Structures are given as structure tokens and as C-alpha cells.
Amino acid sequence: MIPFIDLDKQYISIKKEIDNAIQNVISQSAYIQGPFVKTFEENFSQKLGIKHCIGVASGTDALTITLKALNIGIGDEVITAANTFIATSEAITINGAKVIFVDNDEYFGINTKLIEEKINSKTKAIIPVHLYGQSVDIIKIQEICRKYNLLLIEDCAQSHFATYNNQYTGTFGDAAIYSFYPGKNLGAYGDGGAIITNQDSLAHKIRMYCNHGSPEKHVHLIEGTNSRLDGIQAAILSIKMKYIDVWNQKRFEAAAKYIKNLSKCNNIILPQIRPLSSHVFHLFVIRCQNREKLQKYLLENNIQTGIHYAKALPFLDCYQHYNHKTSEFPMAFKNQDELLSLPIYPEISDEQIEKVCDTIMKFYSL
Ligand SMILES: *Cc1c(COP(=O)(O)O)cnc(C)c1O
């Protein structure tokens, strides 16, 4: 079986270091906050060249809390992509704001040409998503945000250390959020997330909010919540930070092999690299004919694949009250039936990639 993702292979490759790291946290009973979280936050922000990193309980919390700390709520509108994971839009609506969807471009990022027509006096922020591991046209979005005085929050849950114009995604906006869900490029062994920002007062507010509004013991300046990265996850992430560049490079090399092997296949369209963008291939997503049958055939041949995403956000049951029409988001609508994610991870072997490619070619020659 070629799994869609193989977390065990990665664990085995660094087992000793990981086991030691976990043992250290337990020996010191540093489960919540404490030195391991602090060290990871410093590692992460230093690599990105950003002043503040606040570890939180998940990527979803990171989004929700960032919007809350930026006072986005009832009466406000926030623009985001029609094709992303639901966490992005949930964070907007859970704060009481209205989500405004924008269709994607040919690189699966938010189509920057369609953003300005959605801006009005209620618009407060844009949340671009660097989907599948590739930056959106972030400089253009930065320009739009400056022109209309909007907040820019980057969703980097799928783009750890991807760059645009040699600058890390996550460093272009007012704040950025990360997920350390186990399957992400930098994944913990449970839920985890982070918020990064250069703004001192925003960082202070977020840190306080994540810990019951408490800047110090027995003081609660505001009501907050409990959303903290725990020590074991932070210790694991600090170990994994040593390897993330190599792992991202290996994902890129795996993608290059897929692209080389599949370039002859006329029934699929391969992912394209956006100019100025470095792709960290969180997912390797092809556009293909006869998607359902291809996926079934691959599974019959012991190859697992994924679909990201089976329904674009505007068409989900929970957003039916917006009455969106499929014609409003033609690209996202088309994606639903055509996209297929092939197995990709740093540890995938050449033989595995070749088998996936051969099986796809065989399917179309039947
Ligand atoms: C995974 C993901 C999230 C949410 O992260 P969790 O840690 O699972 O809560 C948010 N946005 C995008 C684009 C994601 O892929």
C-alpha cells in the first residue's frame, strides 16, 4: 500500500531525538507553557525573522483568536478564498463577521483580480490562504490592503517556510497563523498552532487572551480563553524544526519527479509554480479527467489519494443561507470534480512515485 501520508516513516527517522524530547518534558513536568514552549516560540519566530510567536492549541484557534484580538466582529466583512479548509471561514463567522468568498486563480490561490470588487465600507480584513504549500500573489494583496486600509492576516497552515520573492509567507501581513496538525509540513503529535506578528501590542493582547486574559497570576485584565501549545508538542516541534528545510526540499524533489514522470500524460494538468514563488508542496494536486474512476482505480492498485476539497466553501451545507450560485465561483466549482491529491511526503521513495505515475498512465490507456 502507498499511503497518502506516512507519519510513521518520519517518526522512525528521528525516533531517538523525539523520544528523548518527550521524556525531558515529562521529567520536568513542563506540560503547559514553560521552557519548551518558550524555546519553540523563539526558534520559530527567529527563523521567520518576526518579533513575536505565540503558541496556541490549533490553527483554527490561531485564526479565531487573531481576528478577535484585531477587533473583527459583528457588522464587519472579511474577504477570503472560496477554496480553502473550512477553518479559515469559521474563524470569521464565529467572531460575528461576514465571510466574503473570492474565487481562485490557476495556481489555486485567491484571484487578486477579483478582490477589489468585493471591498466596501464594512470590509475590515483579507485572509489569503497559501494553499497546498504555495504563496498567493501576496505583494498584490499587500498593495490592496494598503490602498483600502485593510488588515492582512495570512493563513500559513499549509505553507511553512514557503517564500514569495525570497521572503517567507507569513511575514507580509499584520499577523499570520500556522497549524501544526500532524499532517502539516511541520506537524506535532497532536493539535497545535501559532500566531506570529511584529506588533508588540497585538502580541501582548493575543498572549493574554490565550491564557484567560491573564498577564500574570491572579490578574485578569480581560476575559479570554484557554488556548495554549503544550510542552510535549513544543518539544517535538523544536526537534522537527531542525529538519524542516530538508523535508520541504524533499517534498519539492518528489513533486519534480511527479511532474517529470507525468508530463507526457495528456489527461491531467500538473500543478504550476507561480512566478517568484517557492512551493513547499504540502499537497501535490493534479487536475484530472474522470476523477472518481481514477481515484478508485488507484485505490484498487493500493494507492491512497485525497481530495482537497470535495466542496468549495460557498457550496457547503452550512453556507447555504448565503445563497451563492456556482456561477459566482467557476474555478472553485470546477475544482470540486477535477482535483486529486497524490501521495506526497519527504520520505516517499522514487519507487513509490514511479508506481503512482505508472498506474495513472495505465488508467488512461485502458
Ligand atoms: C489545517 C488548516 C487550518 C486549521 O488548522 P488546525 O490546526 O487543524 O485547526 C486552517 N487553515 C488551513 C488552510 C488549513 O489547512
Side-chain angles (χ1 to χ4, degrees):
M1 174 65 76
I2 301 180
F4 179 62
I5 178 167
D6 192 340
L7 297 178
D8 192 52
K9 223 170 169 178
Q10 182 168 95
Y11 167 60
I12 297 298
S13 76
I14 51 169
K15 183 176 185 312
K16 241 181 143 160
E17 281 182 283
I18 293 282
D19 291 356
N20 271 335
I22 293 172
Q23 195 54 56
N24 276 342
V25 178
I26 297 171
S27 315
Q28 297 181 37
S29 301
Y31 298 115
I32 306 291
Q33 299 190 315
F36 295 93
V37 175
K38 189 158 185 284
T39 300
F40 171 69
E41 288 176 345
E42 282 167 8
N43 284 342
F44 199 67
S45 54
Q46 231 166 51
K47 183 164 168 67
L48 289 164
I50 289 283
K51 263 173 102 175
H52 305 280
C53 168
I54 302 110
V56 296
S58 70
T60 305
D61 270 8
L63 277 162
T64 307
I65 291 165
T66 302
L67 295 191
K68 182 151 198 99
L70 290 167
N71 296 317
I72 291 168
I74 295 167
D76 298 335
E77 292 187 359
V78 178
I79 291 171
T80 193
N83 64 322
T84 170
F85 183 55
I86 189 171
T88 321
S89 54
E90 279 173 333
I92 298 167
T93 51
I94 211 160
N95 277 300
K98 185 176 178 194
V99 55
I100 305 295
F101 296 115
V102 172
D103 206 8
N104 62 283
D105 62 18
E106 68 269 38
Y107 304 100
F108 305 117
I110 189 169
N111 188 337
T112 52
K113 293 190 186 75
L114 304 176
I115 292 178
E116 288 193 71
E117 65 195 55
K118 305 269 177 122
I119 294 172
N120 61 46
S121 60
K122 292 179 181 167
T123 313
K124 286 283 142 55
I126 302 178
I127 310 181
V129 182
H130 304 298
L131 204 69
Y132 305 154
Q134 167 156 257
S135 176
V136 299
D137 190 349
I138 190 68
I139 300 229
K140 179 72 199 162
I141 297 175
Q142 237 182 357
E143 280 166 17
I144 294 172
C145 286
R146 285 191 186 130
K147 181 169 165 192
Y148 295 93
N149 197 19
L150 304 177
L151 294 161
L152 174 53
I153 302 132
E154 293 175 77
D155 183 336
C156 301
Q158 302 188 7
S159 73
H160 308 76
F161 306 109
T163 61
Y164 187 82
N165 201 17
N166 293 318
Q167 185 180 337
Y168 284 126
T169 53
T171 65
F172 291 85
D174 295 281
I177 73 91
Y178 289 83
S179 164
F180 305 126
Y181 178 80
K184 300 291 162 85
N185 284 33
L186 181 66
Y189 290 173
D191 275 314
I195 300 159
I196 61 164
T197 181
N198 273 328
Q199 298 170 19
D200 297 341
S201 63
L202 180 62
H204 180 70
K205 193 169 172 191
I206 288 171
R207 199 175 279 289
M208 210 162 61
Y209 183 82
C210 292
N211 194 29
H212 300 292
S214 177
E216 57 186 284
K217 212 172 172 76
H218 305 307
V219 178
H220 298 271
L221 295 180
I222 51 170
E223 274 192 324
T225 190
N226 168 7
S227 184
R228 300 175 297 224
L229 184 65
D230 66 63
I232 288 181
Q233 302 311 337
I236 291 166
L237 290 167
S238 283
I239 301 293
K240 287 192 164 198
M241 277 290 280
K242 299 197 276 180
Y243 301 95
I244 187 64
D245 287 342
V246 174
W247 287 338
N248 277 344
Q249 177 61 25
K250 285 192 171 170
R251 282 175 183 271
F252 188 83
E253 285 163 13
K257 283 170 200 153
Y258 270 129
I259 289 169
K260 183 162 174 277
N261 292 350
L262 290 170
S263 60
K264 298 174 284 297
C265 183
N266 295 322
N267 307 79
I268 63 176
I269 297 172
L270 292 162
Q272 299 175 56
I273 311 267
R274 185 188 298 281
L276 300 180
S277 178
S278 78
H279 204 314
V280 295
F281 284 100
H282 171 58
L283 294 170
F284 188 87
V285 179
I286 61 170
R287 201 179 276 292
C288 57
Q289 294 172 5
N290 233 334
R291 201 254 323 261
E292 303 311 311
K293 284 207 176 113
L294 173 60
Q295 185 173 38
K296 190 162 164 276
Y297 184 77
L298 288 169
L299 193 59
E300 283 162 8
N301 285 278
N302 296 318
I303 297 165
Q304 289 179 345
T305 55
I307 293 174
H308 302 87
Y309 295 91
K311 250 188 196 180
L313 298 183
F315 314 132
L316 291 176
D317 292 337
C318 57
Y319 295 128
Q320 284 314 295
H321 57 283
Y322 288 136
N323 286 316
H324 284 305
K325 293 184 206 62
T326 52
S327 57
E328 289 174 74
F329 309 98
M331 289 287 275
F333 185 57
K334 199 164 129 80
N335 290 345
Q336 295 183 174
D337 297 322
E338 294 186 356
L339 300 189
L340 187 69
S341 309
L342 305 183
I344 194 160
Y345 28 92
E347 300 78 15
I348 195 167
S349 69
D350 288 0
E351 294 71 38
Q352 287 176 313
I353 293 171
E354 271 158 36
K355 175 159 184 225
V356 175
C357 296
D358 290 348
T359 312
I360 291 172
M361 310 267 249
K362 197 159 156 230
F363 170 78
Y364 286 115
S365 67
L366 290 177

